[in-house]
Amino acid sequence: MRDSSAERPSPRRRTRLVPMAGFSLLALLLAACGGDATRTPQNALNPAGRYAQEPHDLITIVLIIAAVVFVLVHFLIIYSVVKYRQRKDDDGSLPVQIHGNTRLEIFWTIIPALILAGIAVPTVQMIFSQMDEPDDAFVVEVIGHRWWFEYYYPEHDIYTANEMAIPVGRPVRLQMTASDPARDPAQGVIHSFWVPRLAGKQDLIPGQMTYLNMLADEPGRYYGQCAEYCGLSHANMRIRVEALDDAAFDAWLEAQQAPAEVPADELAARGRELFGDLGERQACAACHQVWEGDGGRTPGTGPDLTHLMSREEFAGAIHDMTPENLREWLRDPNSMKSMQYEVNGIGMPDLDLTDEELDALVAYLLTLE
Ligand code: CUA
């Protein structure tokens, strides 16, 4: 007869299990506290419109089914472990050895198959309802660049970057692609557009169009970010959606459609000059468009700056739009969005601007309202 006492967990070990189980439960409980949109602005469990609500509801159903299966299976495991544990008076002989039970095996194959089939029905239904183009959709084109999102409003010929305005209560149809090598040889990577409170996740692929519907029930600010690793500055590629009520949205469209005003101020006028001509150095205008009303709007390789000051953030929506930040960005872009340039050789270059040039350029940018 074997000595079974050596195989039992020691009392010390058992007392350690209690706090561990406690912590696990606490973690589960705390995970349920994420409903506050100001503290967790990118919470898919706090949907703000139909296209985020549907996946959320589906996850809830799947979670309930999974929880029932989890509890059942673990109950059976614990029950068996306790009931058939080794006892003091065991004679050490093996239990009766069995192999196979056709009826049971059919049973536990059919049950999961039925569960999966049951989940498949609402899943497939939801995929179709999510992908369908809504009749009254407002269309916005989204182009993923390294490392910022560009938005084009085809009905109104508006270009903007990082921050996207949408109308409240109206489905928005995003037509998405990634900047392809034809427009910029250093581009051509896949990004993923994800604003968790407004919609699911969708890839942006060079040379291909993908679609995503989103809808915001309430006015407000919704955050998101690129969700597909796209290079060293992937984490600096943020999204901000401003859902505006009808009047505010119409005002936004009107303001964005207006051409940029030529500044009267002397310093800003000097900045405008430098923007278009930096002598030997590449001019800002080579990459950035400031549309003053001549001809059509044509995007450059960098963000459109026509109404730069209408945005609250820049550089992939990671920096506040303050004169100090803009000046530092122009002076030494690498210090503001590190790592990306030396490695990939693109993006905002360091133009070796003098203090005087910096002052003039910042003064000019501040006029682009
Ligand atoms: Cu774009 Cu990650």
Side-chain angles (χ1 to χ4, degrees):
M1 191 167 162
R2 280 180 291 152
D3 177 14
S4 61
S5 64
E7 286 164 25
R8 290 213 201 104
S10 68
R12 243 183 80 202
R13 198 123 170 241
R14 249 181 285 170
T15 52
R16 238 185 279 157
L17 281 174
V18 175
M20 263 174 66
F23 279 127
S24 309
L25 272 176
L26 190 67
L28 266 179
L29 270 177
L30 288 176
C33 302
D36 182 351
T38 53
R39 281 188 300 143
T40 53
Q42 296 191 49
N43 187 355
L45 301 178
N46 185 17
R50 165 189 163 192
Y51 292 104
Q53 187 72 49
E54 285 174 1
H56 173 268
D57 293 348
L58 184 67
I59 289 168
T60 309
I61 296 171
V62 173
L63 187 72
I64 291 170
I65 295 171
V68 170
V69 172
F70 178 90
V71 168
L72 194 71
V73 168
H74 281 77
F75 168 76
L76 290 175
I77 290 174
I78 293 168
Y79 174 80
S80 311
V81 165
V82 173
K83 180 158 167 68
Y84 300 108
R85 70 189 184 278
Q86 198 168 38
R87 291 165 205 270
K88 263 203 178 123
D89 54 353
D90 265 356
D91 62 3
S93 61
L94 287 170
V96 182
Q97 299 297 294
I98 53 162
H99 179 77
N101 182 324
T102 310
R103 209 187 290 172
L104 259 182
E105 280 168 22
I106 290 173
F107 182 69
W108 68 48
T109 305
I110 285 180
I111 297 271
L114 285 177
I115 293 175
L116 290 180
I119 292 173
V121 173
T123 303
V124 172
Q125 274 176 346
M126 195 206 70
I127 289 173
F128 280 99
S129 93
Q130 289 266 311
M131 297 306 290
D132 272 350
E133 182 171 0
D135 294 333
D136 56 338
F138 184 84
V139 174
V140 181
E141 291 177 16
V142 183
I143 303 131
H145 297 269
R146 282 181 171 182
W147 283 270
W148 53 284
F149 287 102
E150 179 176 46
Y151 307 107
Y152 178 61
Y153 295 66
E155 271 175 61
H156 303 85
D157 198 24
I158 292 169
Y159 285 94
T160 186
N162 301 319
E163 298 173 16
M164 172 170 58
I166 61 167
V168 154
R170 184 172 168 193
V172 177
R173 177 79 162 172
L174 303 179
Q175 300 182 343
M176 313 200 294
T177 185
S179 185
D180 63 62
R183 176 164 163 193
D184 187 335
Q187 299 285 340
V189 298
I190 295 174
H191 305 272
S192 178
F193 194 86
W194 194 31
V195 184
R197 295 194 63 213
L198 295 184
K201 208 185 273 179
Q202 182 65 273
D203 276 4
L204 291 78
I205 304 165
Q208 193 177 318
M209 194 68 89
T210 53
Y211 301 88
L212 185 70
N213 296 324
M214 64 165 47
L215 176 72
D217 289 338
E218 301 283 336
R221 186 170 292 177
Y222 302 93
Y223 292 89
Q225 63 192 56
C226 180
E228 171 84 36
Y229 183 70
C230 52
L232 287 176
S233 226
H234 154 72
N236 293 328
M237 192 168 171
R238 295 191 194 156
I239 301 161
R240 221 179 75 182
V241 178
E242 296 286 342
L244 304 171
D245 60 36
D246 286 351
F249 187 63
D250 287 344
W252 184 87
L253 286 174
E254 203 182 314
Q256 296 291 320
Q257 278 173 288
E261 274 170 39
V262 177
D265 172 74
E266 199 180 317
L267 187 63
R270 168 83 184 128
R272 178 173 170 272
E273 224 170 85
L274 291 168
F275 190 89
D277 183 6
L278 277 168
E280 300 283 286
R281 293 157 297 170
Q282 189 184 31
C284 314
C287 300
H288 295 282
Q289 169 177 238
V290 173
W291 183 66
E292 292 182 343
D294 326 309
R297 287 172 90 150
T298 40
T301 52
D304 183 297
L305 304 181
T306 307
H307 297 289
L308 179 66
M309 288 303 129
S310 70
R311 315 202 278 258
E312 287 181 31
E313 285 149 353
F314 69 98
I318 62 170
H319 292 299
D320 290 337
M321 191 76 72
T322 64
E324 298 76 28
N325 282 346
L326 281 173
R327 196 176 199 281
E328 185 57 20
W329 175 247
L330 297 178
R331 193 188 68 77
D332 183 6
N334 279 304
S335 71
M336 302 281 280
K337 201 173 178 183
S338 60
M339 294 198 299
Q340 51 171 305
Y341 306 106
E342 288 106 327
V343 180
N344 295 291
I346 60 142
M348 178 80 180
D350 184 343
L351 293 167
D352 246 336
L353 298 164
T354 65
D355 280 348
E356 182 225 328
E357 288 169 334
L358 286 168
D359 291 341
L361 279 168
V362 171
Y364 174 51
L365 293 179
L366 294 177
T367 68
L368 299 174
E369 282 171 354

